[in-house]
Amino acid sequence: MDTTRRDFLRAAGFTVVGAGTVVSALAGASSEEVSGEGGPRWAMVVDLKKCQKDAGCNRCREACHSRHNVPDLEDPRHEIKWIWKAPFEHVFPGHVGEYYDPKLKDLPTVVMCNHCDNPPCVRVCPTRATFRRADGVVVMDPHRCIGCRYCIVGCPYGSRSFNFVDPWPDRNPPNKDYPTRMRGVVEKCTLCPERIAAGEVPYCVEACEKAGIGALTFGDIADPNSAVRKLVESSGRTILRRKPELGTRPQVYYLL
Amino acid sequence: MNDKAKIIAGLVVFLALFTAPFWINIATGQDWSRPNRVVEEEIARLRQDPGLPCALKQTDEERAQGLPNIEMTNRHMALLLEWRDEVVRDGDRTIPEWWQDRNGNPIVVHGRPLKKSLSDGCLVCHTKKKPGESEDKFCDVCHTYVEMEPYCWDCHVVP
Amino acid sequence: MLEKALKGSPRYWSWLAFLSVFILLGVGLFVFVQLQEGLGSTTGLQRDVPWGFYIAQLTFLVGVAASAVMVVLPYYLHDYKAFGRLCVLGEFLAISALTMCLLFVLVDLGQPMRGLNIFLHPQPRSMLFWDSVVIFGYFFINAVVAWVTFKSERAGVAPPAWIKPIILLSIPWAVSIHTVTAWLYCGLGGRPFWLTAILAPRFLASAFASGPSLLILLCLIVRRFTTFDPGQEAIKKLSVIVTYAMLLNVFFVIMEVFTAAYSGIPEHMHHFKYLFFGFEGVDNLVPWMWTSEFLAAVALVILVVPRLRHQQGFLVAAAVCVIASIWIDKGMGMVVTGFVPSPLGTVPEYTPAFSEVMITVGIYAIGALMLTLFYKIATEVRAERSLYQQARTDA
């Protein structure tokens, strides 16, 4: 088969376009690993020793869910939760051995969106309805969400919930100062960007502090003098993060 | 051609159906002037409210320094979309100049500082009927008139 | 040419009416129930099982759509003349399958009215974006190719030269649509059941088994109800393709089971345990999976023995078994199992709701309707042409 100049140029053009697409897709896949220079990097530290003192405590969940109009639905299959407690053996699978203290297996452990540095949910969202800000917050834009639930599929931690039904059919949520979400979109812990913008800590942290427990600490982990940085760097306690082997670099640190 | 009667009859029926929106509205007595009246009533009501700061009681000439009414009618959706993307996606909550008071601070209404927000901004003053209420308020009148209900209200509840 | 779809026997019209009943029911349920109330009341989906029956159909049907390449490739690249008259049928099957795929995505979205956001705000790192692009692209390629080649055939001339590169493009594109669909699943660290390099090859093998099987059945139906005969050699060749593809598919499944079972890693093992034996009391897929394996075994026995494969009755049975087995295995068996157990250790039980099933049936009916209309037109045009050619040779 004769290759004319035109055929060659056409083939070359397609190769460049194809290679460019592949390269940009791959480059896109790694660009979020470079964290924002300067600027704060928000992180959360959970002190499990303090948290376990009151096993039935749910103040963080109540504060968050009531302020953010997270509905309490009848059907558990459609449950929406932003922050809640799950058994330790499920939060850290494989970390509980046969001869460990049996109480450790079921120890209620606070879980929420980890606001990963390398979030798989952001990578798979087809519309960029969920995206990572330079300060580390993984934002959920419910206006753009098409409800495909790929982010739920991609999250290794089960942090996200989908609105299978209308969450507030009577349009009467508890907190009229904060919008609700509509059915058909995904929602999750937002790390309270409206509170961060006002220089305050998220509602869950505030509720835990007010109750005198202080198990949740929030702050800028890039700041060498912040409380979270000191806890993570020099507290001397064992630190766990959820499923670190997946490379998501979660920003919720658990102190054992 | 024996079909002439059928064709004419068909044309008449078609024209009747095609113009139906117009004569149905006339027949049911729609009040065409209501939207303008409600806007004027709203402005009058706001001007009399003792809790409103001076900035919002300005005259039409003074208000022309900011965003005039007609532009707001035309642009409010575009403005809201701009604010939405800036606040939610860019995290930019800085209040635009025309939304600030004379000293550059957020306008405070009945103790609430107005934010760059629909529920926490526009809706603090401009009323909208709540679910269960039957009387159309400010936002509803125009929207009912044009039969266009934006789905913003599915999430953004009226404060 | 299209007017051929408007004239037919009473049997033709009753078949269309039968399909229309299910189409209306499915569309009605979607528009008046699912769009009004959301996915909660109309599907069995739940917080821990975000994808279910609808996405299972999408996954299966993308395979069927991709399988058109199994007919196009031998004919256009290797001059295998026996497939010449089958290509158009394969392409029409692809178009119907792709339409069904897109409809399944539409009914699965929480906010279908925002569906165009995928193209308005593209995210090139998301495989769902690329899946939409390649599926739409393959749809248009097949539509153009089928239209042009068939029009040329009807006019009795060779197709124009510019269609050839598009046909050649459809070959790697077909492979790509199913690879990208596999990439939806196999790049997710949080779902260890899917996190396997062999997922894309598995998808392709099962596609090339189930698609040509369906094509065989369609050829036999066409031969029975119209005057068009695709040719015994073409059907025989298709059955050989199905045989090798099914062998490869079963081999891949065994590879997956071995890797999970031998390594014993709980994260991988638990999903297979759920599939074949039940996990922590939840075992709703177990009878389906064993049925699927049994059907695969029956199909392979028939297909591997030439004397059985060449008999039409056995071939039909094998084709049905292949399609059913793969539909279970690649559909619910693959999609739902990825979620059971969930990342937080819960073991959800998912069964499709009545509405979900009826909307699915409605979409399949739409695909069947499209296929019926396409094949009616195609076979009648061909019948006309052969009569015309007969008349010319007689004259």
Side-chain angles (χ1 to χ4, degrees):
Chain A
M1 196 176 95
D2 298 344
T3 312
T4 63
R5 212 173 17 241
R6 187 182 290 177
D7 290 329
F8 174 77
L9 284 174
R10 196 181 299 146
F14 276 122
T15 314
V16 166
V17 167
T21 316
V22 170
V23 165
S24 69
L26 289 175
S30 60
S31 72
E32 297 255 304
E33 294 175 17
V34 178
S35 37
E37 322 77 20
R41 301 283 312 290
W42 302 114
M44 183 89 80
V45 174
V46 179
D47 188 332
L48 283 177
K49 261 220 189 77
K50 289 185 183 165
C51 182
Q52 78 181 70
K53 283 196 185 128
D54 182 358
C57 174
N58 261 315
R59 288 184 184 86
C60 47
R61 176 181 180 151
E62 281 153 17
C64 168
H65 285 194
S66 63
R67 298 298 315 206
H68 292 120
N69 295 323
V70 177
D72 188 11
L73 299 169
E74 268 178 35
D75 189 342
R77 299 178 315 160
H78 302 151
E79 190 181 26
I80 299 179
K81 41 196 186 188
W82 290 21
I83 179 171
W84 69 103
K85 284 180 164 179
F88 185 88
E89 65 164 342
H90 289 151
V91 179
F92 299 105
H95 278 265
V96 181
E98 230 182 302
Y99 298 104
Y100 285 25
D101 184 349
K103 287 207 296 284
L104 181 63
K105 240 180 65 166
D106 297 320
L107 179 71
T109 312
V110 175
V111 292
M112 65 192 86
C113 167
N114 287 295
H115 294 277
C116 309
D117 268 359
N118 183 20
C121 60
V122 169
R123 207 178 310 144
V124 299
C125 175
T127 61
R128 257 185 108 61
T130 189
F131 58 95
R132 185 180 169 276
R133 293 199 322 200
D135 63 355
V137 175
V138 175
V139 176
M140 187 67 217
D141 181 358
H143 308 96
R144 196 183 280 181
C145 179
I146 62 174
C148 70
R149 310 187 294 291
Y150 201 4
C151 56
I152 303 182
V153 174
C155 175
Y157 308 109
S159 309
R160 293 167 159 270
S161 318
F162 178 70
N163 282 282
F164 285 101
V165 296
D166 190 347
W168 300 101
D170 56 0
R171 293 281 169 273
N172 196 20
N175 182 8
K176 301 277 194 302
D177 290 336
Y178 194 83
T180 68
R181 274 71 49 201
M182 62 204 305
R183 70 169 160 80
V185 295
V186 173
E187 60 185 71
K188 67 170 185 78
C189 156
T190 58
L191 215 55
C192 298
E194 73 278 9
R195 296 268 296 182
I196 299 176
E200 293 166 8
V201 295
Y203 290 116
C204 50
V205 179
E206 182 187 62
C208 194
E209 280 171 3
K210 279 209 177 108
I213 302 174
L216 296 175
T217 317
F218 172 82
D220 173 9
I221 202 168
D223 172 9
N225 298 320
S226 70
V228 287
R229 177 68 169 269
K230 294 209 175 100
L231 280 174
V232 161
E233 208 170 36
S234 40
S235 69
R237 311 252 307 261
T238 309
I239 306 177
L240 280 185
R241 291 190 295 177
R242 294 180 64 191
K243 300 195 188 172
E245 69 277 5
L246 294 181
T248 54
R249 300 210 300 281
Q251 295 304 308
V252 175
Y253 301 85
Y254 293 86
L255 298 181
L256 283 186
Chain B
M1 241 198 1
N2 295 332
D3 291 333
K4 190 163 149 187
K6 285 187 210 157
I7 291 174
I8 291 181
L11 275 175
V12 169
V13 168
F14 170 72
L15 277 174
L17 287 174
F18 191 72
T19 55
F22 299 101
W23 56 258
I24 286 180
N25 275 332
I26 295 173
T28 53
Q30 291 291 319
D31 182 359
W32 312 106
S33 69
R34 180 134 199 270
N36 285 338
R37 254 194 309 115
V38 168
V39 168
E40 279 161 19
E41 283 166 17
E42 175 100 341
I43 294 174
R45 176 184 73 82
L46 286 173
R47 286 223 178 103
Q48 284 163 12
D49 185 341
L52 282 184
C54 309
L56 286 174
K57 289 185 189 168
Q58 53 192 184
T59 60
D60 283 330
E61 288 77 23
E62 289 168 6
R63 191 185 266 112
Q65 292 171 8
L67 216 59
N69 273 344
I70 189 64
E71 214 181 296
M72 195 52 107
T73 314
N74 296 341
R75 269 207 66 206
H76 66 279
M77 197 60 218
L79 179 74
L80 286 171
L81 289 178
E82 258 174 48
W83 278 9
R84 177 185 94 183
D85 284 340
E86 282 168 13
V87 170
V88 176
R89 298 195 68 89
D90 303 332
D92 173 17
R93 290 183 162 82
T94 51
I95 297 173
E97 229 180 69
W98 57 268
W99 196 234
Q100 296 166 358
D101 69 11
R102 293 201 178 88
N103 301 327
N105 296 326
I107 302 174
V108 178
V109 173
H110 292 284
R112 286 176 74 151
L114 296 183
K115 300 196 197 139
K116 190 172 167 183
S117 151
L118 175 63
S119 311
D120 260 340
C122 320
L123 287 187
V124 173
C125 294
H126 290 292
T127 50
K128 189 212 175 296
K129 75 174 169 189
K130 302 200 179 157
E133 289 177 359
S134 57
E135 198 203 325
D136 282 349
K137 300 254 173 53
F138 182 73
C139 311
D140 311 302
V141 172
C142 287
H143 280 277
T144 314
Y145 177 69
V146 299
E147 286 270 328
M148 190 257 143
E149 187 72 16
Y151 63 75
C152 318
W153 312 119
D154 281 350
C155 297
H156 290 276
V157 288
V158 185
Chain C
M1 189 153 61
L2 293 175
E3 76 283 355
K4 301 233 178 306
L6 296 176
K7 292 201 190 71
S9 65
R11 201 165 42 186
Y12 171 70
W13 287 112
S14 13
W15 169 242
L16 291 191
F18 174 72
L19 289 177
S20 305
V21 167
F22 289 105
I23 294 175
L24 286 171
L25 189 59
V27 170
L29 276 172
F30 175 65
V31 170
F32 295 113
V33 183
Q34 190 165 300
L35 275 186
Q36 310 304 323
E37 295 179 18
L39 288 156
S41 54
T42 50
T43 68
L45 295 170
Q46 35 193 283
R47 185 181 193 274
D48 289 329
V49 184
W51 282 354
F53 204 54
Y54 292 144
I55 300 293
Q57 309 313 313
L58 162 76
T59 315
F60 175 71
L61 287 170
V62 175
V64 170
S67 66
V69 75
M70 268 297 132
V71 171
V72 169
L73 195 155
Y75 180 63
Y76 284 102
L77 280 190
H78 299 281
D79 250 347
Y80 187 64
K81 293 273 186 285
F83 277 167
R85 297 171 334 146
L86 267 189
C87 282
V88 175
L89 297 187
E91 279 146 15
F92 284 146
L93 174 61
I95 295 173
S96 310
L98 290 167
T99 309
M100 289 195 271
C101 288
L102 293 169
L103 287 173
F104 275 118
V105 171
L106 186 76
V107 300
D108 186 61
L109 289 180
Q111 286 283 332
M113 302 300 172
R114 295 182 186 170
L116 282 182
N117 272 348
I118 298 184
F119 299 111
L120 291 173
H121 303 281
Q123 166 67 306
R125 293 177 333 174
S126 166
M127 287 303 123
L128 205 56
F129 166 71
W130 287 114
D131 210 23
S132 311
V133 167
V134 294
I135 287 184
F136 267 110
Y138 195 56
F139 180 87
F140 285 124
I141 289 176
N142 268 303
V144 166
V145 169
W147 181 251
V148 168
T149 52
F150 196 65
K151 265 188 91 168
S152 316
E153 187 193 314
R154 182 187 186 220
V157 298
W162 55 262
I163 201 70
K164 188 81 185 296
I166 301 182
I167 296 176
L168 292 178
L169 179 64
S170 81
I171 295 173
W173 201 293
V175 174
S176 84
I177 62 170
H178 218 12
T179 311
V180 174
T181 306
W183 284 353
L184 281 183
Y185 299 104
C186 67
L188 301 174
R191 306 284 173 188
F193 180 63
W194 298 333
L195 190 71
T196 163
I198 211 176
L199 201 72
R202 242 191 88 177
F203 271 26
L204 285 165
S206 54
F208 297 149
S210 56
S213 296
L214 186 55
L215 201 53
I216 291 176
L217 292 177
L218 289 172
C219 284
L220 294 173
I221 292 173
V222 161
R223 184 196 275 170
R224 169 98 166 66
F225 288 106
T226 74
T227 54
F228 175 68
D229 185 355
Q232 194 56 27
E233 196 195 332
I235 294 180
K236 269 174 80 168
K237 203 44 135 198
L238 280 176
S239 64
V240 169
I241 293 174
V242 171
T243 311
Y244 281 114
M246 193 59 178
L247 279 168
L248 212 52
N249 181 42
V250 169
F251 178 68
F252 287 158
V253 170
I254 296 174
M255 293 304 102
E256 286 215 77
V257 172
F258 175 83
T259 309
Y262 193 84
S263 68
I265 298 176
E267 269 180 355
H268 295 261
M269 259 306 286
H270 288 168
H271 299 284
F272 283 98
K273 252 178 127 177
Y274 162 70
L275 260 188
F276 288 108
F277 304 108
F279 187 69
E280 290 186 8
V282 179
D283 57 3
N284 51 339
L285 280 187
V286 172
W288 289 91
M289 283 315 292
W290 286 110
T291 309
S292 169
E293 306 309 335
F294 172 71
L295 290 173
V298 166
L300 276 177
V301 163
I302 297 176
L303 289 170
V304 163
V305 178
R307 209 164 356 128
L308 294 176
R309 188 174 72 235
H310 293 154
Q311 292 183 46
Q312 185 163 310
F314 277 111
L315 182 59
V316 167
V320 170
C321 286
V322 164
I323 295 170
S325 166
I326 292 177
W327 181 77
I328 297 172
D329 172 52
K330 199 165 159 183
M332 292 275 287
M334 194 218 62
V335 174
V336 174
T337 313
F339 302 113
V340 184
S342 75
L344 269 172
T346 60
V347 189
E349 186 169 345
Y350 167 78
T351 17
F354 172 74
S355 230
E356 214 173 346
V357 174
M358 290 319 294
I359 292 177
T360 302
V361 169
I363 295 180
Y364 271 114
I366 292 177
L369 180 75
M370 287 177 73
L371 209 55
T372 309
L373 295 175
F374 284 144
Y375 278 18
K376 176 105 176 20
I377 297 171
T379 51
E380 289 205 353
V381 164
R382 283 202 169 146
E384 252 183 22
R385 268 211 64 74
S386 61
L387 278 178
Y388 173 68
Q389 282 167 333
Q390 192 90 32
R392 284 190 69 186
T393 45
D394 286 346

